[in-house]
Amino acid sequence: MTVANLWKVLDEAGCGVAVGVHDMLDPSHQKKLANPWTYNNLQHSSRKSTTLAVDLSIWICEGLTSTAMASNHSRPALHLAYTRSMKLLNSGIKLIIVIEGKRRVRQIDEADKFHRRRSGTSFWKACKDCEEMFGYMGVPTFRAKAEGEALCALLSMRGIVDGVISNDGDCLLFGAKVVYTKFS
């Protein structure tokens, strides 16, 4: 279902705005924390803190396909998910992690390398490892029945999250209000 060149077309139409993590922050959360495990104990201001849904399959695929990460880490997808989530959590941003379901609605074309990466045993092992890690961290994690992008979009449409982190344009097509792409 992915739409080819969607991000390019939206960029050319001026629909996107470049933002950084600090653009999403509540001012009371902008200070660095001494202990990274105290992110749930921050003093909250009257302003609602930002909550983002994370399409975890994007981070897992990036971790599994990075030769640099594979040469430096025994479980690169887990390392990538950990470092990115801790950066956001330490900044006061709340996360809801969405893991891809095994019953995806799209047919996998043999030439479609991205979707083949999301089908292999190493992908599902990394999903399980990340789900366990986020459970230990106390970060809410949900496994979609099918497309993770669809669940992220539903969370956005219902106002449960303020935005979605994903590089997949399907999030917009499924109805997400705000999508953050190219997150690193």
Side-chain angles (χ1 to χ4, degrees), residues 15-42:
C15 294
V17 176
V19 297
V21 170
H22 292 290
D23 296 319
M24 298 182 261
L25 296 179
D26 178 339
S28 68
H29 296 292
Q30 290 187 6
K31 62 182 178 183
K32 287 279 184 191
L33 299 174
N35 180 351
W37 300 108
T38 61
Y39 68 89
N40 282 327
N41 300 328
L42 292 173

Side-chain angles (χ1 to χ4, degrees), residues 3-22:
V3 177
N5 299 319
L6 176 64
W7 298 125
K8 181 180 175 187
V9 171
L10 291 174
D11 285 343
E12 289 172 359
C15 294
V17 176
V19 297
V21 170
H22 292 290

